[in-house]
């Protein structure tokens, strides 16, 4: 595979500007995020990652309950499983419904019970999971709902509720490549006053100051600002990707191989300031991404054998990627073989169902999740960055078409 000269990102993250680094005071980042979700100023707690926000959430819930089980969808970010294990809680994996990443309501009903502490439905690639069944089933079982909006900051449910604000608690991620980034960061949303008080008490203990971690993140953030563009991404994203593909290591290529230990520390005012300044540009950035995505979704509609996941009636998702579902896994594999590594920002979101990652064998219980495995085998994502021009998009579309016609291009 020849290395392309430019490299497009697999997701559309908001590019930073050097003036985001200016030393003038910005409004606090936690407050900006709360306002984005139309909540009061105290609703969000800033954390060093989305994973850390989940650790904080579960730690707060665990203090007030003897329940010990946490239910997550079988097709989601492996970090959720690692956070549950970190908290000493028991993971229960819920298979998805056929052809989707949402938890299957029947499977979820069978898992919810007297030991269920929390259910964690997740939105993926800006597409919203329907929270109707998770909220209803969790409430009936006396469990909490933690809405994972790590990939959907700025999205809205059909009833108008912003993603992240629809559950009892909500997770946001500010990791590299997510909509808004401070290289690694996150936030925990809480509504209930007692929960908020518990979180406020736990946060300084769970996320102590760590000059070593924070210095590392500051350097990484400067690197992100410098390299998150088509010329720079070739070095920091494209090279390691193609090396992993040459080794046949799909987990590494998708960046799904996370360490089992979670950095937990305070985020400095310096990084919070940068995030807060960039946050002001997020709404316009999301609108532009949406326009691009809707136009391009329409262009892909003519390809038989590929479905672009879209919004359901009334929903307004975000568009970090166009998420495609192939009818035939062989066609997906054929498209991926030609496009992943080609520098066009095409990727495979999560490569396995949670029980199928070898490195998570000790962390995830071995329960069958056939629908999640099938979704993993048929999904493909096109990064919806502003750098993907019409010509490059046409090249992607041509490969998709050829792959669906029989895998030979
Ligand atoms: C990124 C992500 C997380 C974790 O967020 P980090 O900030 O990377 O720790 C959780 N859930 C989903 C669906 C994600 O994509």
């Amino acid at each position: 595979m020849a290395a392309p000269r430019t490299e497009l990102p697999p997701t559309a993250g908001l590019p930073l500007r050097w003036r985001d680094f200016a030393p003038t005071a910005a409004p606090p980042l936690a407050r900006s995020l709360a306002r984005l979700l139309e909540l009061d100023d105290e609703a969000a707690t800033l954390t060093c990652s989305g994973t850390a926000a989940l650790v904080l959430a579960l730690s707060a819930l665990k203090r007030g309950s003897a329940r010990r089980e946490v239910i997550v969808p079988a097709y989601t970010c492996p970090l959720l499983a690692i956070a549950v294990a970190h908290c000493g809680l028991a993971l229960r994996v819920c298979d998805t419904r056929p052809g989707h990443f949402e938890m299957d309501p029947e499977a979820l009903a069978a898992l919810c019970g007297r030991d269920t502490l929390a259910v964690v439905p997740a939105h993926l690639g800006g597409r919203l999971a329907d929270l109707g069944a998770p909220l209803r089933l969790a409430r009936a079982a006396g469990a909490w709902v933690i809405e994972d909006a790590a990939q959907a900051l700025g999205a809205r449910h059909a009833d108008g509720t912003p993603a992240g604000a629809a559950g009892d608690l909500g997770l946001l991620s500010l990791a590299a490549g997510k909509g808004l980034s401070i290289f690694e960061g996150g936030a925990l949303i809480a509504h209930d006053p007692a929960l908020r008080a518990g979180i406020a008490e736990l946060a300084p203990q769970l996320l102590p100051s760590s000059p070593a971690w924070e210095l590392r993140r500051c350097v990484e953030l400067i690197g992100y600002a410098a390299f998150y563009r088509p010329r720079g991404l070739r070095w920091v994203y494209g090279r390691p990707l193609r090396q992993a593909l040459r080794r046949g290591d799909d987990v590494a290529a998708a960046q799904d191989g996370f360490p089992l230990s979670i950095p937990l520390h305070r985020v400095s005012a310096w990084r919070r300031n940068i995030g807060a300044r960039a946050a002001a540009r997020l709404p316009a950035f999301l609108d532009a991404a949406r326009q691009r995505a809707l136009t391009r979704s329409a262009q892909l509609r003519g390809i038989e054998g590929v479905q672009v996941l879209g919004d359901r009636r009334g929903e307004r998702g975000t568009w970090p990627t166009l998420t495609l579902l192939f009818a035939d896994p062989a066609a997906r594999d054929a498209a991926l073989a030609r496009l992943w590594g080609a520098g066009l920002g095409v990727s495979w979101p999560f490569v396995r169902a949670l029980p199928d990652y070898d490195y998570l064998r000790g962390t995830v219980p071995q329960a069958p999740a056939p629908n999640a495995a099938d979704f993993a085998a048929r999904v493909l994502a096109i990064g919806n960055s502003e750098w993907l021009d019409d010509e490059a998009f046409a090249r992607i579309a041509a490969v998709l078409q050829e792959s669906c016609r029989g895998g030979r291009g």
Side-chain angles (χ1 to χ4, degrees), residues 47-54 75-80 120 122-125 148-152 171-176 178 183-187 258 262 350:
T47 59
C48 59
S49 65
T51 313
L54 181 57
Y75 187 78
T76 191
C77 182
L79 286 166
L80 263 56
V120 191
H123 310 303
L124 290 184
D148 180 352
Q151 295 193 11
L171 308 178
L172 304 177
S173 169
L174 307 176
K178 305 281 164 100
F183 195 79
E184 281 284 10
F258 297 98
I262 304 168
F350 298 118

Side-chain angles (χ1 to χ4, degrees), residues 183-240:
F183 195 79
E184 281 284 10
L188 176 60
I189 308 295
H191 304 290
D192 178 71
L195 268 182
R196 277 193 197 177
I199 289 163
E201 191 190 327
L202 276 174
Q205 300 165 29
L206 279 174
L207 307 172
S209 159
S210 164
W213 268 115
E214 188 52 30
L215 178 64
R216 175 173 164 177
R217 294 300 188 228
C218 289
V219 172
E220 286 168 331
L221 181 58
I222 293 169
Y224 185 69
F227 284 90
Y228 193 81
R229 57 197 73 226
R231 286 187 187 281
L233 281 166
R234 178 182 165 191
W235 304 106
V236 293
Y237 171 67
R239 261 173 66 112

Side-chain angles (χ1 to χ4, degrees), residues 40-405:
D40 63 280
D41 287 353
E42 312 304 318
T45 304
L46 201 79
T47 59
C48 59
S49 65
T51 313
L54 181 57
V55 167
L56 182 56
L58 292 174
S59 304
L61 296 182
K62 190 180 159 183
R63 284 210 311 189
S65 170
R67 295 167 176 241
R68 287 298 173 260
E69 290 183 359
V70 179
I71 303 174
V72 306
Y75 187 78
T76 191
C77 182
L79 286 166
L80 263 56
I82 294 170
V84 172
H86 174 95
C87 294
L89 295 166
L91 186 73
R92 304 295 303 273
V93 172
C94 180
D95 200 6
T96 61
R97 65 179 182 79
H100 211 277
F101 57 80
E102 276 172 0
M103 291 188 272
D104 180 70
E106 268 180 48
L108 182 57
L111 287 171
C112 282
R114 287 199 309 215
D115 208 25
T116 308
L117 178 64
V119 179
V120 191
H123 310 303
L124 290 184
R127 306 280 57 76
L128 292 157
D130 184 354
L131 293 195
L135 283 169
R136 179 169 45 81
L137 293 166
R139 295 267 141 80
W144 303 92
V145 170
I146 306 174
E147 181 184 13
D148 180 352
Q151 295 193 11
L153 175 60
R156 270 173 195 283
H157 290 281
D159 68 358
T161 311
D168 301 297
L169 294 160
L171 308 178
L172 304 177
S173 169
L174 307 176
K178 305 281 164 100
L180 173 67
S181 180
I182 54 172
F183 195 79
E184 281 284 10
L188 176 60
I189 308 295
H191 304 290
D192 178 71
L195 268 182
R196 277 193 197 177
I199 289 163
E201 191 190 327
L202 276 174
Q205 300 165 29
L206 279 174
L207 307 172
S209 159
S210 164
W213 268 115
E214 188 52 30
L215 178 64
R216 175 173 164 177
R217 294 300 188 228
C218 289
V219 172
E220 286 168 331
L221 181 58
I222 293 169
Y224 185 69
F227 284 90
Y228 193 81
R229 57 197 73 226
R231 286 187 187 281
L233 281 166
R234 178 182 165 191
W235 304 106
V236 293
Y237 171 67
R239 261 173 66 112
L241 165 63
R242 279 179 285 279
Q243 282 165 1
L245 290 176
R246 275 195 292 273
R247 293 197 305 272
D249 187 344
D250 53 3
V251 173
Q255 303 186 335
D256 280 2
F258 297 98
L260 297 181
S261 71
I262 304 168
L264 294 170
H265 61 98
R266 225 172 78 83
V267 176
S268 63
W270 190 72
R271 279 202 300 142
R272 286 191 310 234
N273 242 308
I274 292 165
R277 219 166 285 108
R281 293 195 301 278
L282 189 66
F285 175 80
L286 293 177
D287 282 345
R290 176 186 179 77
Q291 285 313 319
R292 237 182 355 258
L294 293 180
T295 304
R296 290 183 168 167
S297 295
Q299 287 167 357
L300 295 181
R301 216 162 278 147
I303 304 179
E304 203 169 326
V306 173
Q307 172 202 351
V308 185
L309 301 192
D311 288 340
R312 282 169 287 215
R313 182 183 294 270
E315 288 175 351
R316 195 180 165 90
T318 56
W319 298 87
T321 58
L322 296 183
T323 306
L324 274 49
L325 192 64
F326 284 69
D328 174 7
R332 195 291 306 268
D333 288 347
L336 207 54
R338 291 176 60 192
L339 293 172
W340 204 11
L344 297 170
V346 170
S347 73
W348 187 358
F350 298 118
V351 299
R352 306 262 191 283
L354 285 182
D356 298 337
Y357 287 100
D358 284 335
Y359 83 102
L360 292 178
R361 276 292 142 89
T363 310
V364 176
Q366 292 304 297
N371 292 338
D374 170 66
F375 188 83
R378 294 195 289 125
V379 71
L380 176 150
I382 304 174
N384 181 35
S385 85
E386 61 197 355
W387 298 304
L388 179 65
D389 60 25
D390 289 342
E391 191 214 317
F393 184 74
R395 275 160 61 200
I396 294 172
V399 172
L400 298 177
Q401 184 115 356
E402 287 161 12
S403 304
C404 288
R405 282 206 200 114

